[in-house]
Amino acid sequence: VIRVEEPRGWMLVGHRDHARFAGELARQWGNAEFAPPEPFADILVAVARHDDAWADRDAAPCLTREGRPSAFSHELVGTYSAFEEIDLANYLAVRGRATEAVAADNPYAAIIVSMHTVNLLTEQADLRGLSDQDRVLHRDFVAGQRRRQRELAARLADDDGHAAAVQPHRLQQAFEFLQACDSLSLIACVRLPRALPLRHQHPRRDGTLPPLLCTPLGGDTYRVSPYPFHAEPLQFKLPCRRIAGHQFNDLARFRAAYAAAPPEHLTVRVVR
């Protein structure tokens, strides 16, 4: 899950709900200044489903050694540095399933999901806390994901609808688009208190590559400038749960409290 500390406890958002939110942001992309990437329908699948494999894990959330919800939080936006809070083998297994959950239905989208996973584990990851054994697991997993990307791309190379889209520069653009929508969704899900550019620069229709700066305005409202969406303002209802208490010493009680928490919605606005 994704966690936000509040005065009385924690607000928790499921990974799949975060990804669906990112998919809704992606669906709104495109205006006179910015064009959506192609093949847009396949890329939308990648964005909206990139965390499908987290459903089972999120249904039974874990605790850290300190008794906090084991979750993504605002401290991790932009870098993965909390490998000490997770079992790496289990984490990598979920990441691998994220690719395969999409591959059966949409091989192109699965490539983009896998590229996102590899980026999280390489460019964005702080690996200094890994044991030698975990470093081997990490290295082998990344190599396996890159091999899977090549396999899926080769399968699509003779497909008239995807032959051009699996060229490296097109895959890179699609991957960077996923990461932009993912980063904006995460900023809102963790209520990041500071301004931050969305990941990567994104092409205007005139070919220029501006950074897209996301600035929190308070009240779960965020300004994105320059503005890449076709409607303004955008408003979304993000599913969440709230549990009382900041530390827990009993995993079963924590999970019971999470399961019993009534579903709520966080209203998120994105403005120009």
Side-chain angles (χ1 to χ4, degrees):
V1 291
I2 298 166
R3 73 186 185 208
V4 177
E5 191 166 14
E6 297 183 324
R8 295 185 58 194
W10 299 94
M11 181 183 76
L12 301 172
V13 177
H15 279 90
R16 287 212 303 179
D17 290 323
H18 140 68
R20 297 296 189 267
F21 176 33
E24 289 304 310
L25 291 166
R27 195 178 303 279
Q28 298 293 328
W29 193 285
N31 55 27
E33 191 174 3
F34 291 90
E38 294 293 343
F40 194 48
D42 296 309
I43 296 170
L44 283 179
V45 171
V47 178
R49 295 189 57 196
H50 73 269
D51 277 344
D52 271 11
W54 288 92
D56 290 343
R57 189 181 177 100
D58 281 356
C62 297
L63 294 171
T64 68
R65 289 190 296 268
E66 293 78 22
R68 298 177 297 174
S70 180
F72 190 93
S73 60
H74 71 85
E75 297 93 344
L76 303 183
V77 173
T79 182
Y80 269 18
S81 58
F83 287 113
E84 71 276 5
E85 292 192 355
I86 62 174
D87 180 291
L88 184 66
N90 289 338
Y91 173 81
L92 295 179
V94 174
R95 284 289 174 195
R97 290 196 297 272
T99 298
E100 299 311 317
V102 180
D105 302 324
N106 193 313
Y108 187 86
I111 297 171
I112 308 309
V113 172
S114 179
M115 292 174 70
H116 171 64
T117 288
V118 168
N119 182 266
L120 290 176
L121 291 168
T122 54
E123 181 182 322
Q124 295 190 56
D126 181 350
L127 307 178
R128 288 174 294 180
L130 292 186
S131 66
D132 291 343
Q133 181 179 2
D134 279 350
R135 286 180 183 274
V136 172
L137 286 175
H138 174 275
R139 181 197 64 203
D140 291 348
F141 177 82
V142 169
Q145 284 294 299
R146 287 174 169 153
R147 185 167 56 251
R148 186 68 169 128
Q149 293 167 26
R150 293 192 295 270
E151 292 170 354
L152 293 169
R155 184 191 309 176
L156 294 171
D158 296 327
D159 179 339
D160 290 342
H162 293 93
V166 294
Q167 295 299 311
H169 72 283
R170 292 280 299 278
L171 289 171
Q172 182 69 18
Q173 183 180 7
F175 149 75
E176 291 181 356
F177 178 78
L178 183 155
Q179 292 217 304
C181 299
D182 177 65
S183 60
L184 179 51
S185 175
L186 284 175
I187 285 168
C189 287
V190 303
R191 289 177 164 168
L192 192 72
R194 65 184 187 277
L196 188 74
L198 304 187
R199 289 198 66 81
H200 311 290
Q201 294 177 312
H202 297 274
R204 289 189 175 102
R205 293 181 186 271
D206 64 9
T208 56
L209 290 166
L212 303 181
L213 183 66
C214 179
T215 304
L217 302 180
D220 296 305
T221 298
Y222 301 86
R223 173 182 292 122
V224 178
S225 181
Y227 192 78
F229 304 109
H230 61 72
E232 196 271 336
L234 300 177
Q235 183 164 300
F236 307 91
K237 288 191 177 297
L238 180 64
C240 65
R241 293 173 186 257
R242 287 183 165 90
I243 56 173
H246 293 96
Q247 282 188 302
F248 305 86
N249 56 18
D250 186 297
L251 178 60
R253 287 188 177 182
F254 165 67
R255 287 178 171 173
Y258 177 74
E264 301 182 34
H265 287 89
L266 183 70
T267 301
V268 178
R269 299 176 74 246
V270 181
V271 301
R272 187 185 300 274

